[in-house]
Amino acid sequence: MQAEAAASSLVMDPQRWGASRVEPRPPRFLDALQDAVIRSVQVRLGYVDRKGTETERTVHPLGIVAKGPSWYLVANTEAGRRTFRIDRVSSADPTCDPVHRPEDFDLAEGWRAIADEVERKRMPLEVRAVCAPQGIGVLRMGFGGRLEVGASRTDGRIDVVIRGNDEYILAGELAGLVEWIEVTGPPGVRDHLASIGNTLVERYGSDRRDVVRQDDNRGHRAVQHR
Protein backbone atom coordinates (compact mmCIF):
# COMPACT_ATOMS: atom_id res chain seq x y z
CA MET A 1 0.00 0.00 0.00
CA GLN A 2 2.81 2.43 0.84
CA ALA A 3 4.46 1.74 -2.53
CA GLU A 4 1.21 2.65 -4.29
CA ALA A 5 0.86 5.74 -2.11
CA ALA A 6 4.42 6.81 -2.92
CA ALA A 7 3.80 6.38 -6.64
CA SER A 8 0.69 8.57 -6.55
CA SER A 9 1.89 11.14 -4.00
CA LEU A 10 4.02 13.26 -6.33
CA VAL A 11 3.28 15.19 -9.52
CA MET A 12 6.03 16.86 -11.56
CA ASP A 13 4.84 19.97 -13.41
CA PRO A 14 7.79 21.44 -15.37
CA GLN A 15 5.98 24.65 -16.37
CA ARG A 16 7.10 27.55 -14.16
CA TRP A 17 4.96 30.37 -12.81
CA GLY A 18 6.17 33.48 -14.65
CA ALA A 19 9.75 33.84 -15.88
CA SER A 20 11.74 32.95 -12.74
CA ARG A 21 14.94 31.00 -13.36
CA VAL A 22 15.95 30.64 -9.70
CA GLU A 23 16.69 27.07 -8.63
CA PRO A 24 16.30 27.02 -4.82
CA ARG A 25 17.18 24.12 -2.57
CA PRO A 26 14.38 21.66 -1.69
CA PRO A 27 12.37 23.21 1.16
CA ARG A 28 13.05 22.19 4.74
CA PHE A 29 9.86 20.21 5.40
CA LEU A 30 9.54 18.50 2.01
CA ASP A 31 10.60 15.03 3.22
CA ALA A 32 8.41 15.17 6.33
CA LEU A 33 5.34 16.16 4.34
CA GLN A 34 5.88 13.56 1.64
CA ASP A 35 6.30 10.94 4.37
CA ALA A 36 2.97 12.04 5.85
CA VAL A 37 1.33 11.69 2.43
CA ILE A 38 2.74 8.19 1.99
CA ARG A 39 1.73 7.11 5.52
CA SER A 40 -1.62 8.87 5.08
CA VAL A 41 -1.54 10.71 8.40
CA GLN A 42 -2.75 14.18 9.29
CA VAL A 43 -0.23 16.96 9.97
CA ARG A 44 -0.27 19.92 12.33
CA LEU A 45 0.99 22.56 9.90
CA GLY A 46 2.54 25.95 10.65
CA TYR A 47 2.37 28.28 7.67
CA VAL A 48 3.42 31.84 6.79
CA ASP A 49 1.36 33.43 4.03
CA ARG A 50 2.60 35.96 1.47
CA LYS A 51 1.73 38.85 3.82
CA GLY A 52 3.89 37.35 6.57
CA THR A 53 0.98 36.19 8.74
CA GLU A 54 1.68 32.89 10.51
CA THR A 55 -1.11 30.41 11.20
CA GLU A 56 -1.39 26.84 12.41
CA ARG A 57 -3.92 24.22 11.37
CA THR A 58 -4.39 20.49 10.99
CA VAL A 59 -4.39 19.34 7.38
CA HIS A 60 -5.03 16.10 5.50
CA PRO A 61 -2.08 15.80 3.07
CA LEU A 62 -3.15 14.47 -0.35
CA GLY A 63 -0.01 14.92 -2.42
CA ILE A 64 3.12 16.89 -3.30
CA VAL A 65 3.59 18.84 -6.55
CA ALA A 66 6.87 20.09 -7.99
CA LYS A 67 5.99 23.13 -10.12
CA GLY A 68 9.18 24.20 -11.87
CA PRO A 69 11.57 25.03 -9.00
CA SER A 70 8.78 25.33 -6.39
CA TRP A 71 7.12 22.66 -4.22
CA TYR A 72 3.51 22.57 -3.09
CA LEU A 73 1.43 20.53 -0.68
CA VAL A 74 -2.14 19.76 -1.74
CA ALA A 75 -4.26 19.07 1.33
CA ASN A 76 -7.79 19.04 2.66
CA THR A 77 -8.55 21.40 5.54
CA GLU A 78 -11.59 22.43 7.54
CA ALA A 79 -12.04 25.23 5.00
CA GLY A 80 -11.82 22.90 2.00
CA ARG A 81 -8.99 21.85 -0.31
CA ARG A 82 -5.98 24.15 -0.16
CA THR A 83 -2.52 24.41 -1.71
CA PHE A 84 0.49 25.39 0.43
CA ARG A 85 3.90 26.47 -0.80
CA ILE A 86 6.24 24.20 1.12
CA ASP A 87 8.97 26.85 1.43
CA ARG A 88 6.48 28.84 3.52
CA VAL A 89 5.81 25.98 5.94
CA SER A 90 7.22 26.88 9.36
CA SER A 91 6.48 23.56 11.09
CA ALA A 92 5.12 20.13 10.16
CA ASP A 93 4.20 17.75 12.98
CA PRO A 94 2.59 14.48 11.89
CA THR A 95 -0.20 13.07 14.05
CA CYS A 96 -1.48 9.54 14.48
CA ASP A 97 -4.85 10.40 12.91
CA PRO A 98 -5.55 9.01 9.44
CA VAL A 99 -6.11 11.22 6.42
CA HIS A 100 -9.66 11.43 5.12
CA ARG A 101 -8.93 11.01 1.42
CA PRO A 102 -11.74 11.33 -1.15
CA GLU A 103 -12.14 8.04 -3.00
CA ASP A 104 -12.22 9.74 -6.41
CA PHE A 105 -9.27 12.06 -5.76
CA ASP A 106 -6.56 12.05 -8.42
CA LEU A 107 -3.54 14.26 -7.69
CA ALA A 108 -2.68 14.96 -11.33
CA GLU A 109 -6.23 15.98 -12.20
CA GLY A 110 -6.59 17.97 -9.00
CA TRP A 111 -3.38 19.86 -9.69
CA ARG A 112 -4.41 20.67 -13.26
CA ALA A 113 -7.57 22.28 -11.92
CA ILE A 114 -5.56 24.25 -9.33
CA ALA A 115 -2.95 25.37 -11.89
CA ASP A 116 -5.62 26.44 -14.38
CA GLU A 117 -7.33 28.53 -11.71
CA VAL A 118 -4.04 30.17 -10.70
CA GLU A 119 -3.22 30.97 -14.33
CA ARG A 120 -6.65 32.53 -14.82
CA LYS A 121 -6.02 34.78 -11.82
CA ARG A 122 -2.49 35.64 -12.94
CA MET A 123 -3.51 36.16 -16.58
CA PRO A 124 -7.19 37.16 -16.52
CA LEU A 125 -7.27 38.50 -20.09
CA GLU A 126 -8.01 35.95 -22.82
CA VAL A 127 -7.46 36.80 -26.47
CA ARG A 128 -9.33 34.62 -28.95
CA ALA A 129 -7.85 34.09 -32.39
CA VAL A 130 -7.62 31.71 -35.33
CA CYS A 131 -4.20 30.58 -36.49
CA ALA A 132 -2.90 29.02 -39.69
CA PRO A 133 -1.51 25.52 -38.97
CA GLN A 134 2.06 26.55 -39.83
CA GLY A 135 1.92 29.29 -37.19
CA ILE A 136 1.07 27.07 -34.21
CA GLY A 137 4.73 26.24 -33.58
CA VAL A 138 5.60 29.95 -33.53
CA LEU A 139 2.82 30.61 -31.01
CA ARG A 140 4.00 27.74 -28.79
CA MET A 141 7.54 29.14 -28.74
CA GLY A 142 6.33 32.67 -28.09
CA PHE A 143 3.62 32.08 -25.49
CA GLY A 144 4.34 28.68 -23.89
CA GLY A 145 1.79 27.86 -21.20
CA ARG A 146 -0.18 31.03 -21.98
CA LEU A 147 -1.40 29.40 -25.19
CA GLU A 148 -4.39 27.05 -25.45
CA VAL A 149 -4.86 25.28 -28.77
CA GLY A 150 -8.42 24.37 -29.71
CA ALA A 151 -10.17 22.66 -32.60
CA SER A 152 -9.56 23.05 -36.32
CA ARG A 153 -12.07 24.92 -38.47
CA THR A 154 -13.35 23.83 -41.88
CA ASP A 155 -10.84 26.16 -43.58
CA GLY A 156 -7.96 24.44 -41.76
CA ARG A 157 -7.26 27.28 -39.34
CA ILE A 158 -7.11 26.47 -35.63
CA ASP A 159 -8.86 28.20 -32.74
CA VAL A 160 -6.45 29.44 -30.07
CA VAL A 161 -6.68 31.35 -26.79
CA ILE A 162 -3.74 33.42 -25.50
CA ARG A 163 -3.72 34.72 -21.93
CA GLY A 164 -2.25 37.94 -20.62
CA ASN A 165 -2.72 40.90 -18.28
CA ASP A 166 -2.96 43.95 -20.52
CA GLU A 167 -4.75 44.47 -23.84
CA TYR A 168 -2.12 46.81 -25.28
CA ILE A 169 0.83 44.60 -24.31
CA LEU A 170 -0.86 41.54 -25.79
CA ALA A 171 -1.62 43.45 -28.98
CA GLY A 172 2.07 44.37 -29.20
CA GLU A 173 3.07 40.73 -28.77
CA LEU A 174 0.64 39.66 -31.49
CA ALA A 175 1.32 42.47 -33.96
CA GLY A 176 4.26 40.67 -35.55
CA LEU A 177 2.28 37.47 -36.01
CA VAL A 178 -0.47 38.75 -38.31
CA GLU A 179 0.88 36.57 -41.11
CA TRP A 180 -0.49 33.55 -39.23
CA ILE A 181 -3.23 34.73 -36.88
CA GLU A 182 -6.46 36.68 -36.94
CA VAL A 183 -7.59 38.04 -33.58
CA THR A 184 -11.36 37.71 -33.14
CA GLY A 185 -11.68 39.26 -29.66
CA PRO A 186 -11.85 41.05 -27.40
CA PRO A 187 -12.55 44.26 -29.36
CA GLY A 188 -10.02 46.26 -27.30
CA VAL A 189 -7.12 44.11 -28.52
CA ARG A 190 -8.31 44.42 -32.13
CA ASP A 191 -8.47 48.20 -31.73
CA HIS A 192 -4.92 48.28 -30.35
CA LEU A 193 -3.72 46.12 -33.26
CA ALA A 194 -5.30 48.53 -35.74
CA SER A 195 -3.66 51.47 -33.96
CA ILE A 196 -0.27 49.74 -33.98
CA GLY A 197 -0.70 48.99 -37.68
CA ASN A 198 -1.53 52.62 -38.47
CA THR A 199 1.51 53.80 -36.50
CA LEU A 200 3.77 51.38 -38.39
CA VAL A 201 2.47 52.61 -41.73
CA GLU A 202 2.86 56.26 -40.72
CA ARG A 203 6.39 55.73 -39.43
CA TYR A 204 7.78 53.35 -42.02
CA GLY A 205 5.42 53.50 -44.98
CA SER A 206 6.65 56.94 -46.10
CA ASP A 207 10.27 55.79 -45.76
CA ARG A 208 9.51 52.91 -48.05
CA ARG A 209 7.89 55.19 -50.63
CA ASP A 210 10.93 57.47 -50.50
CA VAL A 211 13.21 54.48 -51.17
CA VAL A 212 11.06 53.47 -54.14
CA ARG A 213 11.12 57.03 -55.51
CA GLN A 214 14.89 57.22 -55.05
CA ASP A 215 15.31 53.92 -56.92
CA ASP A 216 13.05 55.18 -59.70
CA ASN A 217 15.02 58.43 -59.94
CA ARG A 218 18.32 56.57 -60.12
CA GLY A 219 16.97 54.41 -62.88
CA HIS A 220 15.66 57.46 -64.78
CA ARG A 221 19.01 59.24 -64.50
CA ALA A 222 20.84 56.12 -65.66
CA VAL A 223 18.67 55.94 -68.78
CA GLN A 224 19.29 59.64 -69.54
CA HIS A 225 23.07 59.20 -69.09
CA ARG A 226 23.16 56.40 -71.60
Side-chain angles (χ1 to χ4, degrees):
M1 287 293 292
Q2 285 199 357
E4 294 180 4
S8 62
S9 69
L10 179 64
V11 164
M12 305 295 291
D13 183 350
Q15 188 68 39
R16 302 165 182 259
W17 302 125
S20 172
R21 291 295 181 267
V22 177
E23 297 290 349
R25 297 177 181 177
R28 175 183 174 188
F29 293 101
L30 175 61
D31 291 342
L33 290 171
Q34 188 161 14
D35 180 67
V37 173
I38 293 171
R39 293 193 296 115
S40 195
V41 295
Q42 298 178 37
V43 173
R44 190 68 182 167
L45 192 75
Y47 191 71
V48 180
D49 67 18
R50 66 179 61 188
K51 296 180 180 180
T53 303
E54 186 167 4
T55 57
E56 190 175 271
R57 74 201 82 187
T58 298
V59 303
H60 297 247
L62 300 176
I64 304 290
V65 176
K67 173 73 169 174
S70 301
W71 295 85
Y72 296 86
L73 170 70
V74 180
N76 278 342
T77 72
E78 291 183 353
R81 190 166 301 163
R82 294 290 184 268
T83 303
F84 302 92
R85 271 187 54 160
I86 298 179
D87 61 356
R88 292 181 181 160
V89 172
S90 57
S91 62
D93 300 314
T95 71
C96 295
D97 299 321
V99 165
H100 300 153
R101 186 182 184 90
E103 292 183 3
D104 61 346
F105 177 75
D106 179 271
L107 180 59
E109 291 182 4
W111 176 253
R112 277 194 294 271
I114 292 168
D116 288 346
E117 179 63 22
V118 171
E119 285 292 352
R120 280 192 291 271
K121 290 179 179 178
R122 289 180 65 249
M123 302 282 183
L125 176 63
E126 292 188 348
V127 170
R128 301 176 298 279
V130 287
C131 181
Q134 60 269 31
I136 292 294
V138 178
L139 292 185
R140 290 190 191 280
M141 287 189 292
F143 295 100
R146 296 163 55 197
L147 172 70
E148 295 178 13
V149 179
S152 296
R153 297 191 174 191
T154 55
D155 63 0
R157 293 186 301 170
I158 300 167
D159 287 316
V160 297
V161 173
I162 300 164
R163 293 192 299 271
N165 286 310
D166 181 273
E167 288 188 347
Y168 181 76
I169 291 175
L170 261 178
E173 292 179 298
L174 294 168
L177 304 174
V178 293
E179 179 181 353
W180 298 288
I181 69 168
E182 177 188 350
V183 173
T184 58
V189 174
R190 289 172 57 90
D191 291 343
H192 284 308
L193 282 168
S195 177
I196 291 170
N198 290 334
T199 301
L200 289 171
V201 171
E202 290 173 3
R203 181 163 299 176
Y204 300 107
S206 60
D207 292 345
R208 176 58 184 163
R209 287 192 294 271
D210 290 342
V211 170
V212 172
R213 283 196 295 268
Q214 290 171 9
D215 289 343
D216 289 343
N217 290 335
R218 292 193 191 101
H220 180 67
R221 288 195 294 271
V223 170
Q224 287 183 328
H225 181 72
R226 288 198 294 270

